[in-house]
Structure formats: structure tokens, C-alpha cells
């Protein structure tokens, strides 16, 4: 009787026989039945989003095209890591901040740090509980719920499981075992890196009016075209020297983009910037420097947020293939923004500079 009680329990998985008290998550993660049971177990405790997020991040590392990377990275971020995530999971604040700052320029290793954190949480916290309950045959309530949820996963969850296991069968056909926290083959990474390195930079706007038209269309579609409109107006305003010209265009810019009574086209900017402009206007009127602070902030937004998002968007891809329809901006129709763009480009060429302001 005592020998029976002390007999070791074993689990067979992926053609391996492993003692229950020695088993670790990486031993069984590629066993579909075992993975479903573990996911079901976490579902009972409302923590299945941790394993789902890890699976999403692992699949993401093996995507083959930049379009897929862009789309899937935002889907993962919005599902698990954004402030408005549909299935939020808790990660360290520094990791969350880094992810938020870098999500607009995704790469294959965008989620590697948060994925490692999730893996460690699964290995050190949830998997030992699962194994312990399996070893004790789990209490009746948990076992009942576990059995009832095992066959009720939605299509998305089953797709994740099948896609994850399928990747390892294809990528590592002769070595069907899991090694955590590795990146895919160098060949894939190098090709994608080359593709991303060939993307345009914002200075290219001044040499390519078609790109500027499509960038303007992209901003319209994201309800942020007022930033570009202000930017081009203000750059040309700075070049003026006659007081009457400064007063006329300065008043126009103020009424369109800054005056709090103009809710339609007033730029979304921090109140301190508006206060600085109002004080300068009351003190000195419209000087060439009055909008410098706001120009700098608009430049940072265009350079660091909107342009990087634009060049990996469908709008940019379609404009390169001449398939873009200008549904929101009016396209090639004459516009004040494009007139200002042409004026600024001509001045750039005359004065011999090419950088983005």
C-alpha cells in the first residue's frame, strides 16, 4: 500500500515519458491536447488571456511580410497591452511604456520582452499550480468546469493553438521540441529588416509630391490633416519679412488653428503652447517667431508618429502601385496645403537645403 502511494506518476507527451514532478511547460507546450487542457485550466481562473497573448506573440515572430507584421502587431497590442485592451494583462510598467512607444514601428522582436515576462509568469506561477492539481486529480469543482470548457473554445483560440503547433512542425521538422524565447531563422529576420530599411524617410517628402499627396490623404483618414496644414502654413509664414504680410497670414493661422472659438479646425495641442502664443501676440503682435514652439511640436508629431505609420500603411502601398483613391483629401485638386508645400519646396531648392526643417 505504501509503495503504491509513493509510486511516481508519469505523463506521456510528444513521444516522451516524463515524471509528473519533473515536468516543465516547455516539455508539453507542443502537445495539442495538453495545451488545450492547460488553457482550459487557466480559463477557469479567468487568466487564459496570458496564455493566449503568449501564443499570439510567438506566432507573430514567424510572420513573413511587413504588412502582416503591421496589422498583427496592432491587433495584439489592442487586445492585450493597450490602455483600452479587450483582454488586458498586467505587465511591468517599464515594459508597457517601451511597447507603447515602439508599437508604431513594429519589428519581429517587438513583443519579445513582454513575451518573456509572460512565459516566466506561466512557468513559475500557473503551470506548477496546474501540474499540482492534475497530480491530485483536481478538486471536483475545477475538474467539472475544466471538462465543460475544453470543447467550447472559440474559433480564434483553436486557430491560435493550431497555428502555433503548425509553425513548429514547418520550421523545425526534424527537431520537434520547443525552446522558449528564441527568434526565428536569421534568413527571415534579415529579409524583413532589409524591407524595413528600404522604407522612405520624411525628408523624401520634399522630393516627391505624389508621396506628399498620399501622406495628406493618410492624415485625412486619421482626422489629423490639420497638423500638416498648420505646419506648411507656418513654415512659409516664418519666411515673410513685411509687417503687413506677417500680420495678415499670422492672423489667418491664428484664427484657423489656434483660436479657441474655432472648434472645427483648432489643432489639438497642450494648453501651455496656446498660452505662450497668446502672450506673445498680446505683447509683440505677429512676429516671425511666434509659432516656433508649435511648429516644433507639429514637426515631432509628423516625423515621429504620423510619417512612420504612413509608410507601413495600405495608403502608402497603394500610392506606390498607383492604386490609391483619394477619398477624403480631394487628391490632386488644388488645395491650400499643397500650394504651401510647393512654395516651401521651391524655397528649399533656392536656398539649397533638403532636410525636414
Amino acid at each position: 500500500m505504501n509503495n503504491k502511494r509513493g509510486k511516481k506518476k508519469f505523463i506521456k507527451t510528444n513521444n516522451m515519458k516524463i515524471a509528473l514532478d519533473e515536468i516543465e511547460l516547455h516539455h508539453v507546450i507542443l502537445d495539442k491536447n495538453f495545451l488545450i487542457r492547460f488553457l482550459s485550466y487557466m480559463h477557469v481562473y479567468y487568466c487564459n488571456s496570458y496564455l493566449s497573448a503568449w501564443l499570439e506573440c510567438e506566432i507573430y515572430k514567424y510572420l513573413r511580410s511587413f504588412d502582416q507584421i503591421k496589422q498583427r502587431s496592432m491587433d495584439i497590442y489592442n487586445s492585450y497591452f493597450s490602455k483600452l485592451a479587450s483582454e488586458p494583462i498586467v505587465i511591468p510598467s517599464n515594459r508597457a511604456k517601451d511597447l507603447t512607444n515602439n508599437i508604431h514601428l513594429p519589428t519581429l522582436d517587438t513583443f519579445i520582452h513582454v513575451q518573456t515576462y509572460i512565459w516566466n509568469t506561466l512557468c513559475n506561477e500557473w503551470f506548477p499550480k496546474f501540474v499540482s492539481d492534475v497530480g491530485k486529480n483536481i478538486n471536483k469543482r475545477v475538474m467539472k468546469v475544466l471538462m465543460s470548457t475544453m470543447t467550447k473554445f472559440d474559433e480564434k483560440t483553436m486557430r491560435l493553438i493550431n497555428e502555433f503547433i503548425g509553425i513548429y512542425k514547418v520550421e523545425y521538422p526534424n527537431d520537434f521540441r520547443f525552446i522558449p524565447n528564441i527568434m526565428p531563422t536569421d534568413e527571415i529576420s534579415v529579409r524583413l529588416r532589409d524591407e524595413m530599411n528600404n522604407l522612405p524617410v520624411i525628408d523624401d517628402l520634399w522630393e516627391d509630391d505624389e508621396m506628399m499627396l498620399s501622406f495628406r490623404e493618410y492624415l485625412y483618414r486619421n482626422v489629423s490633416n490639420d497638423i500638416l496644414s498648420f505646419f506648411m502654413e507656418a513654415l512659409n509664414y516664418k519666411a515673410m519679412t513685411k509687417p503687413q504680410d506677417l500680420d495678415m497670414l499670422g492672423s489667418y493661422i491664428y484664427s484657423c488653428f489656434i483660436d479657441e472659438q474655432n472648434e472645427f479646425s483648432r489643432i489639438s495641442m497642450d494648453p501651455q503652447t496656446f498660452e505662450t502664443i497668446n502672450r506673445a501676440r498680446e505683447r509683440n503682435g505677429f512676429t516671425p517667431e511666434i509659432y516656433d514652439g508649435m511648429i516644433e511640436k507639429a514637426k515631432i508629431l509628423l516625423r515621429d508618429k504620423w510619417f512612420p505609420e504612413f509608410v507601413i500603411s495600405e495608403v502608402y502601398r497603394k500610392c506606390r502601385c498607383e492604386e490609391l483613391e483619394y477619398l477624403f483629401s480631394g487628391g490632386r485638386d488644388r488645395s491650400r496645403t499643397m500650394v504651401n508645400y510647393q512654395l516651401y519646396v521651391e524655397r528649399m531648392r533656392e536656398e539649397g537645403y533638403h532636410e525636414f526643417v
Side-chain angles (χ1 to χ4, degrees):
M1 191 75 164
N2 289 336
N3 289 338
K4 190 174 181 181
R5 242 187 234 125
K7 188 177 180 181
K8 265 197 170 187
K9 293 184 178 181
F10 290 86
I11 287 180
K12 189 175 181 181
T13 174
N14 290 329
N15 299 319
M16 295 186 296
K17 191 176 180 182
I18 305 172
L20 190 62
D21 59 357
E22 297 174 2
I23 199 166
E24 295 181 18
L25 181 54
H26 66 87
H27 292 137
V28 297
I29 194 75
L30 291 173
D31 184 316
K32 184 174 180 178
N33 291 329
F34 211 105
L35 183 56
I36 289 174
R37 283 176 169 79
F38 184 34
L39 196 55
S40 300
Y41 179 80
M42 295 195 68
H43 190 271
V44 172
Y45 294 99
Y46 306 101
C47 289
N48 51 297
S49 57
Y50 279 83
L51 185 50
S52 296
W54 185 88
L55 288 169
E56 291 264 26
C57 293
E58 185 67 15
I59 293 166
Y60 170 86
K61 294 190 304 190
Y62 292 87
L63 297 178
R64 294 308 206 264
S65 79
F66 195 49
D67 288 339
Q68 289 179 319
I69 288 172
K70 172 60 178 173
Q71 182 60 52
R72 199 80 169 253
S73 63
M74 290 308 301
D75 290 345
I76 294 172
Y77 179 74
N78 290 330
S79 293
Y80 304 106
F81 304 116
S82 76
K83 291 182 179 179
L84 300 176
S86 55
E87 303 176 63
I89 62 175
V90 178
I91 58 176
S93 57
N94 61 323
R95 295 300 183 201
K97 185 177 179 181
D98 288 344
L99 188 56
T100 300
N101 290 339
N102 297 323
I103 194 63
H104 298 295
L105 283 173
T107 60
L108 284 177
D109 60 358
T110 290
F111 297 103
I112 189 66
H113 294 301
V114 294
Q115 188 190 11
T116 301
Y117 172 81
I118 295 170
W119 177 261
N120 290 336
T121 301
L122 292 172
C123 289
N124 298 328
E125 184 176 344
W126 285 105
F127 192 70
K129 289 180 182 178
F130 170 66
V131 171
S132 175
D133 281 349
V134 167
K136 294 181 291 189
N137 293 321
I138 312 182
N139 67 65
K140 290 182 179 180
R141 182 187 72 82
V142 175
M143 177 61 82
K144 184 177 179 180
V145 178
L146 176 57
M147 291 297 103
S148 67
T149 58
M150 270 182 57
T151 57
K152 294 183 180 179
F153 282 127
D154 58 27
E155 185 179 336
K156 177 187 174 184
T157 303
M158 292 311 299
R159 175 187 61 77
L160 284 177
I161 292 171
N162 290 330
E163 195 173 355
F164 163 66
I165 293 174
I167 283 171
Y168 272 79
K169 286 182 177 179
V170 171
E171 294 290 335
Y172 311 103
N174 300 318
D175 188 17
F176 195 57
R177 62 193 177 93
F178 178 74
I179 303 173
N181 307 325
I182 63 168
M183 290 302 295
T185 60
D186 288 342
E187 182 182 348
I188 297 171
S189 299
V190 168
R191 183 177 59 75
L192 287 167
R193 200 159 48 240
D194 288 344
E195 183 179 339
M196 286 181 269
N197 287 339
N198 288 328
L199 292 173
V201 295
I202 199 165
D203 290 343
D204 296 334
L205 283 175
W206 310 128
E207 304 292 335
D208 191 336
D209 55 358
E210 288 293 322
M211 191 191 297
M212 176 59 89
L213 279 170
S214 55
F215 184 41
R216 178 169 164 262
E217 170 71 15
Y218 179 78
L219 291 171
Y220 263 95
R221 294 187 185 191
N222 287 276
V223 199
S224 295
N225 51 291
D226 52 348
I227 298 172
L228 182 62
S229 297
F230 161 78
F231 188 66
M232 297 314 309
E233 291 276 7
L235 288 181
N236 287 322
Y237 168 83
K238 278 178 61 68
M240 292 182 169
T241 55
K242 296 180 180 179
Q244 61 269 33
D245 292 338
L246 286 168
D247 189 61
M248 184 173 66
L249 185 54
S251 297
Y252 173 81
I253 292 172
Y254 184 87
S255 64
C256 282
F257 304 108
I258 297 163
D259 194 337
E260 61 184 7
Q261 295 181 359
N262 189 351
E263 296 181 2
F264 179 73
S265 59
R266 189 177 194 239
I267 286 184
S268 178
M269 195 73 71
D270 60 284
Q272 186 177 358
T273 298
F274 291 134
E275 289 172 12
T276 300
I277 291 172
N278 284 327
R279 285 197 300 269
R281 174 170 162 258
E282 290 171 4
R283 188 167 56 248
N284 302 314
F286 291 106
T287 63
E289 302 81 19
I290 189 171
Y291 297 123
D292 281 2
M294 196 161 166
I295 289 172
E296 182 65 20
K297 291 183 178 181
K299 178 184 78 171
I300 291 170
L301 275 173
L302 292 170
R303 183 193 65 200
D304 296 348
K305 174 176 171 54
W306 290 115
F307 192 79
E309 290 186 13
F310 160 67
V311 297
I312 55 177
S313 71
E314 184 182 13
V315 171
Y316 173 74
R317 189 176 69 252
K318 285 189 173 182
C319 89
R320 294 295 89 182
C321 301
E322 299 182 353
E323 297 175 353
L324 180 61
E325 294 183 44
Y326 296 94
L327 302 176
F328 295 85
S329 65
R332 291 175 178 78
D333 292 345
R334 184 177 175 85
S335 72
R336 189 175 179 104
T337 299
M338 292 307 294
V339 169
N340 276 306
Y341 164 76
Q342 294 293 347
L343 287 172
Y344 184 70
V345 168
E346 288 172 11
R347 194 167 71 253
M348 285 181 69
R349 289 170 181 166
E350 288 174 3
E351 299 179 13
Y353 57 94
H354 304 282
E355 294 182 356
F356 185 66
V357 205

